[in-house]
Amino acid sequence: MENIVYFSKDLKELDEKVKKRLGIRGRRAVELAMMGLPIAPGFIIDSELTRKLPQVNLKEFLKTHIEHLEKETKKGFGDAKKPLLLKVVLSSDFNVPYFPSIHNIGLNDKTVTGFGQFTGLDFAYGEYRFLLRSVGTKIYSLEAADFDKMDVKGAKQKAEDIKKAVDNFKKYLGDKYSEDVYDQLGLILKGAASRYCDSEIDVDDSLSIMVQAMVYGNFGNNSYSGNYYTRNIITGDPLIQGSFLQNAFDIDKSKPKDITKIDKKYFDKFSDIAKKVEEKFKEIREIKFTIEEGDFWLVEQRDVDEKSTQAHIKTLLDLCKRKSVAEEYVVGNIKPAQLNELLHPVIDPRTIGGVKTIKGGISGSPGAAIGRVFFSTPKLLEEYKKAIMHGGDTNMILVMPASYAEDVKAIEVAKGVITAEGGFSSHAPVVARSLGKVAMVQPEMKIRGTTFTLAGKAVKEGDYVSINVPYYEPPTIYLGKVGLIEPNVKENGLIDFLKIVENFIDDFNVRANADQGRDARLAREFNAVGIGLCRTEHMFFNEKRIMRFREMILADTEEERRKTLDALRPMQRSDFYDLFKTMVGFPVTIRLLDAPLHEFLPRTVESMKEFIRHMQGRKKAIKPAEIMARCEELSEMNPMLGHRGCRVAITYPEIYEMQCRAIFEAACMLRKEGIKIEPEIMIPIVMTEHELKFIKNGKKIEGKVVKGIRDIKDEVVVEYGVRDLEYSVGTMIELPAAALGAGSIAQYAEFFSFGTNDLTQTTYGLSRDDINSFFPSYSLYDLIRNNPFQVLGEQVKELIEVAALRGRLTRPDIKMGLCGEHGADPENIEFCINVGLNYVSCNPYSIPLAKLAVAQYNLRQEE
């Protein structure tokens, strides 16, 4: 019959239309058969015939196909001496781990003894009992409890005991079971079709039934059973990974041995098959096998969802080297978010057994971390120093309601950070992503003093927790220590993968958000084509600089400010020199000070005491009350819309003057070394063209002279004896007013960088730190499709589109990029390309994701 497909190693080809009617399990079997591999033979009743089975006379066509099975296996169906036993497996297009199946069909009072001659009667009768129970529960939906009552009890059951249960089961089943093996099979096939057609596994009428010869790994010392992966599913090393049993049947109930310990002739055969299977399916597969009295059989194969991204990429790279797949296939078969696994530590799944887990919260910065919990920056830093001095454990997790500028130094030394407030774009996740640390937000966490409670569990300061923050699902907190798998980008395939990705990137490219030399070096390792955002305020958070910067903020006169800024300038110059030298040949965009000044001031009692001691060391007469009062004066009701960015430069021009001087000095130092650098200086929080013109060109008014950037450059090149220095000035477009006025701003800006974090905040009137207090309700009622701080909202896109168009009309050669936290998202990247931007800029650990998204977009366009 054309609706029945017989499969064995001799199956040569099969029409694709027929294959579609065989279900997932059926297709897996015939795919092995068509490769000429020794699959345990069988036949598949396709989905068209399966629906008609209850009305079909089965005996004739069953007999024909079973005769083929008997010949291949050298057994007889119903034979008393060496019986052929079958299994029936339901196969549909619904991808579930285990389809309903009936094993050991063909066992009856006559064949069980012959079967027992090979396996032992105890095992044979146990399988006979299992057959009857499966028929009752899986085919006829009889209650399992009824079979339990009729079963025999006891740990070590003998054949004579089990036989009593078999007799009870047969009596209970009545005419639902037959001693005639063909009738027995027919009843099962018809019953399965009646029971499962139109059930939850019968997707789109796709249910088919596979009948396959059973083979056993417990027929003697030359018999084995087991399963293996075509390579290591964690590391991706091309050595098969699996386990086997010798003269045993159930690998789940026995103690298996590692597959590498099996006889070499079998190991070599497995390895050869593994290579062929990977060539065919272009991915890792798991293969189940049985060696029965020396006869080698493959039972089934499946795809491996549990494989790591590292293993998947290494498989693709190996296939590409062997010319089995094209580079386009390699690039197209990895999702950008998967690359997070190669960039950050991941939890070792073998170590989590028995550890209490609490799932939920918001992913901030992906990866995994283990450490002792501390609830403040001073305490964590104190314990960190003690651990270094005494050789203790330096793995620590910072836990706080929310983090601020002064907590950056703790995030930098900690392995991870958990906050109770905020979201994906709040302070702790943003800083953590830039530093390659792990971060999550857990709004359900309650912090009281030096303890946090979550899901009824309390964690005290000094206790260990482990956190797992995947990019694609909610994070998990483990209450205790688990194992980690640390990334190694030189060995895990990422660097080789990125070399291929680079072949599909053209004009639109990816820069880095980098504030320190180490960030820039990592970015270059990932092929970043420059720095799109250097946040100079982060350079002042260093504990050696923060006190001097705070001193500058509190200065009463311009003279005092300039004195402190002169002390800070060599530090900034050194930073810029490092960034420029690392990025030779590529643009470096330096954003001048943006953060509100009050962000740098002490927030805790401990840090205020420390600052007071510093100030009194500089000015002995100053009183603590004066310092605290001055700090209080600088606080603002709404600092993100207050005294920040270019507004600080207009109030205190000397701050930007110092930064620009440091930039030009670093560039001149490199010029004298024969290295050409063209700095890009970016002015933040510009509302109109007037602010940019003021800062770029300077101003003389009522006897006061404010130096412009060009004036500062002219002074520095003279001081350093350099002929001239090329540079450009641009601005961040992060306010709706700036987006709408982009045409006028472009008169003075040679580049635009869209700061989409603030542009999102100011467009929607949303605080990125507070959105999660109400966003779940918006999601519940479908009021907002995506978190606007992760996926650009339509109104923000429109503002970017308007600004890009108007800017280009004024200055056709203007360069434009996007440097917000949105920069690594594939959907956002596609928008940026379509609107005509030149690049996106993101934290170094997101560069591979963004690169892959760009390459995949380009491939789609080619198609």
Side-chain angles (χ1 to χ4, degrees), residues 523-778:
R524 282 299 303 130
E525 197 168 356
F526 295 149
N527 300 322
V529 292
I531 292 175
L533 175 63
C534 168
R535 293 157 292 201
T536 53
E537 59 269 14
H538 286 188
M539 296 170 168
F540 298 119
F541 293 144
N542 182 290
E543 59 183 318
K544 294 178 182 177
R545 306 178 186 185
I546 188 67
M547 293 302 182
R548 298 306 300 270
F549 196 76
R550 287 170 175 169
E551 185 183 336
M552 184 275 298
I553 293 171
L554 296 192
D556 292 320
T557 65
E558 180 180 335
E559 182 183 358
E560 286 182 6
R561 272 192 300 279
R562 286 187 176 276
K563 185 178 178 181
T564 308
L565 288 167
D566 284 343
L568 288 168
R569 189 174 80 246
M571 303 176 192
Q572 284 251 285
R573 181 176 62 218
S574 173
D575 291 335
F576 297 144
Y577 177 89
D578 195 9
L579 291 177
F580 290 151
K581 194 155 189 176
T582 303
M583 286 288 171
V584 169
F586 297 101
V588 176
T589 304
I590 296 173
R591 183 181 73 186
L592 302 183
L593 186 70
D594 180 35
L597 292 179
H598 92 284
E599 269 203 16
F600 296 92
L601 297 175
R603 285 181 172 270
T604 65
V605 173
E606 292 87 351
S607 58
M608 179 60 80
K609 288 179 180 177
E610 188 181 2
F611 181 49
I612 288 171
R613 284 194 296 270
H614 170 82
M615 289 299 292
Q616 289 181 325
R618 309 284 296 176
K619 294 181 180 180
K620 291 186 178 179
I622 196 166
K623 295 178 181 179
E626 291 178 48
I627 297 169
M628 289 188 282
R630 185 78 178 100
C631 290
E632 184 66 29
E633 286 173 19
L634 288 168
S635 64
E636 296 181 271
M637 295 297 290
N638 193 353
M640 296 313 294
L641 298 178
H643 196 191
R644 58 174 288 208
C646 67
R647 299 160 192 174
V648 172
I650 291 165
T651 311
Y652 306 121
E654 56 272 18
I655 295 178
Y656 274 19
E657 181 183 335
M658 180 277 285
Q659 291 193 291
C660 290
R661 188 171 291 278
I663 291 169
F664 292 132
E665 286 175 352
C668 285
M669 289 167 65
L670 287 165
R671 175 63 67 85
K672 296 188 82 167
E673 294 176 22
I675 300 171
K676 186 178 179 182
I677 288 292
E678 295 182 19
E680 296 181 352
I681 300 173
M682 184 157 67
I683 313 302
I685 300 291
V686 163
M687 295 182 292
T688 70
E689 72 275 16
H690 304 299
E691 294 160 308
L692 188 58
K693 180 182 178 183
F694 174 86
I695 293 168
K696 186 177 182 180
N697 299 338
K699 195 152 191 170
K700 295 179 182 178
I701 188 168
E702 296 180 2
K704 184 173 178 62
V705 177
V706 175
K707 292 178 184 177
I709 293 175
R710 65 182 180 186
D711 302 319
I712 300 164
K713 185 269 299 181
D714 289 342
E715 290 178 3
V716 172
V717 296
V718 170
E719 289 171 19
Y720 276 78
V722 172
R723 184 179 299 174
D724 201 2
L725 197 64
E726 293 183 22
Y727 70 100
S728 57
V729 176
T731 187
M732 288 193 90
I733 302 293
E734 49 195 328
L735 299 173
L740 296 173
S744 300
I745 291 172
Q747 296 175 72
Y748 304 98
E750 290 149 287
F751 65 88
F752 285 166
S753 183
F754 292 94
T756 50
N757 293 341
D758 278 327
L759 188 56
T760 297
Q761 290 195 110
T762 53
T763 298
Y764 293 114
L766 293 174
S767 163
R768 68 183 185 184
D769 296 312
D770 301 314
I771 185 175
N772 288 298
S773 62
F774 57 84
F775 185 71
S777 297
Y778 274 64

Side-chain angles (χ1 to χ4, degrees), residues 178-337:
S178 174
E179 286 280 323
D180 181 288
V181 293
Y182 279 96
D183 288 342
Q184 183 186 126
L185 176 59
L187 284 169
I188 290 170
L189 291 174
K190 287 175 178 275
S194 298
R195 164 72 176 80
Y196 289 101
C197 280
D198 297 323
S199 72
E200 66 275 6
I201 68 166
D202 186 14
V203 178
D204 299 326
D205 297 332
S206 63
L207 186 70
S208 64
I209 298 179
M210 179 168 69
V211 179
Q212 188 176 20
M214 289 198 70
V215 285
Y216 295 84
N218 58 341
F219 265 37
N221 287 331
N222 199 22
S223 296
Y224 306 82
S225 62
N227 53 275
Y228 67 94
Y229 300 106
T230 53
R231 67 175 60 214
N232 190 292
I233 63 168
I234 301 297
T235 66
D237 294 336
L239 185 71
I240 62 172
Q241 173 192 3
S243 54
F244 74 97
L245 297 172
Q246 184 174 11
N247 196 20
F249 181 71
D250 193 339
I251 202 162
D252 294 323
K253 294 182 179 177
S254 306
K255 289 185 178 179
K257 296 178 183 178
D258 192 277
I259 196 73
T260 56
K261 293 183 170 60
I262 203 167
D263 190 295
K264 186 177 183 302
K265 66 180 180 183
Y266 294 133
F267 183 84
D268 290 345
K269 192 174 183 73
F270 292 150
S271 299
D272 182 58
I273 289 172
K275 190 173 180 180
K276 290 177 180 175
V277 167
E278 283 191 353
E279 296 273 351
K280 164 69 177 175
F281 296 103
K282 301 177 175 54
E283 64 176 4
I284 298 173
R285 289 272 161 156
E286 184 184 21
I287 298 170
K288 187 175 181 179
F289 69 89
T290 295
I291 300 170
E292 185 183 85
E293 292 187 299
D295 290 335
F296 190 98
W297 300 105
L298 300 182
V299 179
E300 61 180 336
Q301 56 85 16
R302 69 171 183 92
D303 51 353
V304 182
D305 291 334
E306 62 269 31
K307 64 182 177 290
S308 71
T309 298
Q310 174 173 326
H312 189 31
I313 280 184
K314 281 194 166 185
T315 305
L316 292 171
L317 290 172
D318 286 349
L319 290 169
C320 191
K321 285 177 188 173
R322 300 200 296 262
K323 308 295 184 186
S324 298
V325 299
E327 289 185 341
E328 289 87 346
Y329 185 88
V330 175
V331 172
N333 271 270
I334 297 292
K335 295 176 181 176

Side-chain angles (χ1 to χ4, degrees), residues 403-444:
S403 71
Y404 300 94
E406 65 183 9
D407 301 310
V408 170
K409 51 186 179 286
I411 298 173
E412 192 169 7
V413 302
K415 296 297 181 183
V417 55
I418 310 172
T419 58
E421 302 167 10
F424 179 79
S425 296
S426 56
H427 183 268
V430 169
V431 172
R433 286 195 291 274
S434 72
L435 296 171
K437 303 292 182 174
V438 185
M440 63 173 286
V441 180
Q442 177 45 272
E444 303 298 317

